[in-house]
Amino acid sequence: MIMLVDADIHPAAMPKEIAARLDEPWRTRYEEFGYRVANPPMIYPRLTNGGNRLDAYPEEGLPGGDLDLMRAQLLDEYDVTYGVLIPLQSHGFGAVAPDFGQAMCRALNDWLATEWLDREPRLRSSLAITHESPEAAAEDIARYAGDRRFVQALLPTSGETTFGRAKYWPIYEAAEDVGLPVAFHLGGMENHRGAGWPSFYLEEHVWMGNLEAALAVSLICEGVFERFPRLRVVLVEGGISWMGPLMWALDDGFDKLRADLPHLSRKPSEYLREHIWLTTQPIEEPAEPRHLAWALEHTGMTDHIMFASDYPHWDFDNPRTALRDVPKELRAKFYGENARALYGLEAA
Amino acid sequence: MSAPMIDTDVHCAPASFEALFPYLDAYWREYITGGTVRIGPALGGQYPMGAPTTGGAPPATVEALRERVSGFAILTCLSAFDANRNPYYEAALTRAINEWLRERWLDRDDRLRASLTVPTSDPEAAVAEIERAAAHPGFVRVLLPVRSVDTRYGNRRYLPVLQAAADAGLPVALHAWGRVGNAPTATGFTHTYLEDYVANSQVIVQGQLVSLIAEGVFERLPSLQVSLLECGFSWLPALLWRFDKDWRGVWREVPWVKENPSAYVYRHFRLTTEPAHLPRDDRHLAELLEMARASDVLMYASDHPHDHGDGGTRLLAAVSEADRAAILHDNAAAHYGLDV
């Protein structure tokens, strides 16, 4: 039987579930002020069902808020061996004042542990951390290290500055120390310097691949992988096929610009292939299926690509059909083996 | 005899403001001298003079150019794309550069064409400059920096500029780098030049291409053509697969986009051969060229004096004779309406 690991499932907590897990003064602060970070759908609304599968709305609460519905629509329906939760609320919680943010992230982690991980042995989760307060984040990475059901620390793709910067190194140091990968998912303090702000969700969604390419470049150029040689990084939901062209551009540039990069000992493509993992959803669909096979080969990292469904979002990739254009010999790796190796999951 | 090669991106730049003073009035000459404003070729760190990719200062005169580049060439002067935020200055400077290009280059060498530089921070001034100067047959495209100000070029605020270019029958050309007061990445400035260097081709230009299509620019302006200069091209297949798929998913948001985004790209966009960031493996290279439909979209550029490595040479060696003719001449001749 093939192992199926879903590397991107979104649970959503109701505000009252967070509030119930906050001590004072945080509870009152949360109830009176909430957290004041514009989340991506406020900037670029998703026009159909708020960006969710219509059938994923439970009777009460939010899509991704009901374990029984998630079991029926995902875990049981597709015989998922393991699923990795990615709680996007942490992107907002992790960007506010350090102590307040830490309290909210802990409330969210407690909710994940008690409402999901305790009740469903097939689930694993990402750890919510205060990514804009790296010292507090590092503290929590160490604090939760004993609970191996938290398989990665979660960061957004947009921070106050680029994620290669030394500001964020305490997070990478703590994650490396306890052997946890860090995963970046679209969100955070969205900003659009460089090309400027787009107008539509369509543009934002296409941009996720570019944003993750920029993120990978930042990690390499700032020397993160020289400083943390055992750090493993997962880029979620940005696609795959851009990775080959990015490597060609970076290696060409590195050949010419080495004097500006004395802190790098290897070609950029070598860091990318060793340290970066990618998820499939939304997998690229060229008109010519063989083009996808070529693009996958061009990345040279087919041991680092993991299936993801993105449940319960509108662009959910069905595990039965999503990898139909992926060469047969790679499918078992993508569906489960690569994730099993990264997250240290037991065979089914 | 085969058709002559068209070199679609050759840099030139005035060596100093002295060269532009004949085209600036007393107010701006005082602004420049009093403010000790410089117009050096590094352009605020865009092209560090010692960096091997820069290749030294661009030629400042026709004579200097012709010692290094022969044949038919389209000039690109980036000197107006610096960090200054005064829109009136930008308008005066771009007009002076266009006059300098006309008098000092176009009128002196009939195998040269040039890019009409327009301000980015004042669309009305850009329209006025296109209407003023586009009649000169030497200007074959309207130049904008790929790094724009605040919003992408598909945004409503730039539509009059795109309209004016289309009305004048000129493609709009987006060139790497640009308004360097604006950080190269979505979240800020970079510590290394490599991060800045790849931001142009791997990130920013893709956002601009997506913007122009998503905003419906080519439905409004069906004759508009867009050149992407020094922005790379090997990223194109992966971007279009993602863009086409996402459009099929959320087309309701942009009902004015009537076709697959990739269809607009192949009809309206052309890209230059430098930098050619290519795979080292010959089979992978052949696969890339097929996936990108290279012979349909690429136009040869030496990108003089810049040096991005051996990619451009390897590219031309890897294509058939017919495809080489398309890349060296035919695609650019059609795109710019050149009878050479």
Side-chain angles (χ1 to χ4, degrees):
Chain A
M1 193 186 79
I2 192 168
M3 185 171 181
L4 176 59
V5 179
D6 183 346
D8 188 17
I9 304 172
H10 297 297
M14 296 284 280
K16 65 183 180 188
E17 294 172 302
I18 299 299
R21 291 172 167 82
L22 290 172
D23 295 329
E24 291 298 352
W26 313 124
R27 184 170 183 161
T28 299
R29 189 173 181 182
Y30 178 74
E31 287 175 343
E32 292 191 1
F33 297 93
Y35 60 100
R36 296 172 300 104
V37 179
N39 65 22
M42 289 174 65
I43 307 171
Y44 300 109
R46 290 86 162 113
L47 290 199
T48 305
N49 314 319
N52 293 293
R53 276 174 46 166
L54 183 58
D55 65 351
Y57 282 82
E59 282 181 24
E60 192 194 349
L62 305 164
D66 185 307
L67 176 58
D68 290 330
L69 190 59
M70 183 187 292
R71 279 185 181 128
Q73 294 186 333
L74 181 66
L75 302 178
D76 296 343
E77 171 70 23
Y78 299 104
D79 201 12
V80 173
T81 319
Y82 292 103
V84 179
L85 301 174
I86 295 191
L88 296 176
Q89 286 157 313
S90 82
H91 291 345
F93 294 175
V96 303
D99 46 5
F100 184 33
Q102 190 178 48
M104 287 195 289
C105 284
R106 287 178 180 179
L108 183 57
N109 290 329
D110 180 70
W111 176 78
L112 290 162
T114 55
E115 299 299 320
W116 299 82
L117 303 180
D118 289 352
R119 292 173 60 199
E120 176 47 71
R122 287 172 289 185
L123 289 177
R124 298 292 181 272
S125 184
S126 313
L127 187 70
I129 56 169
T130 52
H131 53 272
E132 295 301 344
S133 305
E135 304 293 341
E139 197 178 300
D140 279 358
I141 288 170
R143 175 191 172 103
Y144 286 89
D147 187 346
R148 303 309 289 189
R149 298 174 305 175
F150 287 101
V151 294
Q152 62 194 4
L154 181 62
L155 294 105
T157 45
S158 294
E160 285 179 342
T161 183
T162 53
F163 276 110
R165 287 292 173 93
K167 170 189 167 179
Y168 298 102
W169 288 10
I171 296 174
Y172 309 142
E173 183 175 13
E176 189 187 48
D177 275 353
V178 301
L180 274 194
V182 295
F184 292 89
H185 187 287
L186 181 90
M189 311 178 83
E190 192 147 7
N191 207 325
H192 288 279
R193 300 159 84 182
W197 288 81
S199 302
F200 307 112
Y201 173 57
L202 169 62
E203 295 173 82
E204 183 203 43
H205 201 270
V206 176
W207 180 247
M208 287 160 72
N210 304 118
L211 207 48
E212 294 196 345
L215 208 164
V217 172
S218 170
L219 294 174
I220 286 170
C221 288
E222 297 280 352
V224 168
F225 300 119
E226 285 288 331
R227 179 66 177 257
F228 306 107
R230 289 174 291 120
L231 183 67
R232 297 169 297 165
V233 171
V234 188
L235 301 179
V236 185
E237 211 176 332
I240 304 164
S241 300
W242 47 266
M243 188 53 99
L246 179 67
M247 289 174 176
W248 308 330
L250 276 171
D251 284 356
D252 279 359
F254 181 65
D255 275 348
K256 294 275 176 199
L257 305 170
R258 274 175 201 229
D260 197 38
L261 299 146
H263 50 290
L264 298 190
S265 63
R266 301 162 65 191
K267 286 198 297 187
S269 61
E270 294 178 25
Y271 296 110
L272 288 168
R273 291 191 174 116
E274 181 176 332
H275 292 278
I276 303 281
W277 274 254
L278 302 169
T279 60
T280 55
Q281 184 278 338
I283 193 161
E284 290 93 347
E285 294 179 30
E288 285 278 353
R290 67 192 169 132
H291 289 179
L292 181 64
W294 291 351
L296 291 172
E297 187 182 330
H298 294 175
T299 69
M301 48 194 290
T302 51
D303 289 338
H304 282 207
I305 295 170
M306 307 186 288
F307 172 78
S309 77
D310 199 29
Y311 178 89
H313 293 164
W314 67 271
D315 47 347
F316 170 80
D317 268 356
N318 181 332
R320 292 197 188 104
T321 54
L323 302 191
R324 69 188 162 212
D325 292 340
V326 171
K328 281 194 182 65
E329 65 275 15
L330 295 177
R331 284 182 208 159
K333 287 183 181 189
F334 288 17
Y335 272 127
E337 287 171 18
N338 292 343
R340 186 178 71 169
L342 175 68
Y343 296 124
L345 303 169
E346 288 173 25
Chain B
M1 199 182 93
S2 62
M5 200 162 83
I6 299 174
D7 188 342
T8 58
D9 189 19
V10 173
H11 292 274
C12 68
S16 74
F17 263 117
E18 304 297 316
L20 299 182
F21 276 174
Y23 316 108
L24 291 161
D25 67 22
Y27 174 87
W28 291 115
R29 291 197 300 271
E30 191 177 321
Y31 179 93
I32 288 159
T33 49
T36 62
V37 184
R38 302 272 185 270
I39 197 168
L43 292 174
Q46 298 179 57
Y47 293 103
M49 274 300 106
T53 44
T54 300
T61 63
V62 171
E63 293 72 24
L65 173 79
R66 286 308 186 193
E67 285 173 17
R68 300 189 254 175
V69 177
S70 59
F72 194 92
I74 305 176
L75 299 170
T76 307
C77 176
L78 303 176
S79 300
F81 300 158
D82 73 353
N84 188 300
R85 296 284 294 198
N86 176 341
Y88 309 99
Y89 169 75
E90 197 189 8
L93 180 58
T94 50
R95 185 189 311 176
I97 287 171
N98 293 332
E99 287 303 294
W100 174 76
L101 286 167
R102 187 175 60 74
E103 280 192 18
R104 310 302 297 175
W105 298 80
L106 298 177
D107 290 351
R108 301 181 60 205
D109 188 329
D110 62 9
R111 289 169 306 157
L112 291 178
R113 300 292 183 273
S115 317
L116 185 72
T117 310
V118 297
T120 55
S121 49
D122 181 352
E124 278 183 39
V127 169
E129 181 61 5
I130 293 169
E131 289 173 350
R132 184 191 74 82
H136 191 291
F139 290 111
V140 295
R141 63 191 178 201
V142 172
L143 184 67
L144 292 166
V146 79
R147 197 184 300 173
S148 46
V149 178
D150 303 332
T151 62
R152 300 175 181 188
Y153 287 122
N155 186 285
R156 185 67 181 76
R157 76 174 65 168
Y158 291 110
L159 186 60
V161 182
L162 306 179
Q163 172 93 55
D167 288 350
L170 298 181
V172 168
L174 306 187
H175 192 282
W177 307 97
R179 306 294 301 173
V180 289
N182 201 21
T185 81
T187 49
F189 288 91
T190 70
H191 281 163
T192 66
Y193 185 67
L194 177 60
E195 197 176 345
D196 208 343
Y197 178 82
V198 297
N200 292 290
S201 61
Q202 300 298 316
V203 183
I204 296 169
V205 67
Q206 300 187 38
Q208 298 289 10
L209 179 152
V210 169
S211 169
L212 289 165
I213 291 167
E215 301 262 3
V217 164
F218 302 107
E219 290 294 333
R220 288 171 184 264
L221 306 172
S223 68
L224 183 69
Q225 294 284 303
V226 178
S227 333
L228 303 179
L229 312 177
E230 204 182 317
C231 288
F233 60 86
S234 44
W235 44 266
L236 189 61
L239 176 72
L240 297 185
W241 301 336
R242 187 174 177 88
F243 195 7
D244 281 353
K245 177 172 175 168
D246 281 351
W247 172 71
R248 288 198 295 275
V250 300
W251 61 270
R252 285 174 187 82
E253 187 192 27
V254 288
W256 43 83
V257 179
K258 305 288 188 195
E259 302 174 74
N260 268 321
S262 58
Y264 291 99
V265 169
Y266 284 99
R267 196 161 62 236
H268 294 276
F269 285 79
R270 295 294 178 265
L271 302 85
T272 59
T273 55
E274 290 286 352
H277 295 308
L278 305 175
R280 289 282 145 193
D281 179 287
D282 285 344
R283 181 169 57 81
H284 292 174
L285 174 53
E287 290 166 354
L288 169 68
L289 297 177
E290 178 187 321
M291 294 190 297
R293 294 173 51 187
S295 61
D296 292 340
V297 289
L298 295 185
M299 306 185 294
Y300 169 74
S302 68
D303 197 23
H304 178 81
H306 305 150
D307 177 5
H308 305 284
D310 64 355
T313 308
R314 292 173 52 228
L315 169 77
L316 289 173
V319 299
S320 71
E321 200 169 325
D323 287 352
R324 202 173 305 127
I327 293 169
L328 290 175
H329 173 273
D330 302 354
N331 291 345
H335 185 61
Y336 296 116
L338 297 171
D339 184 21
V340 290

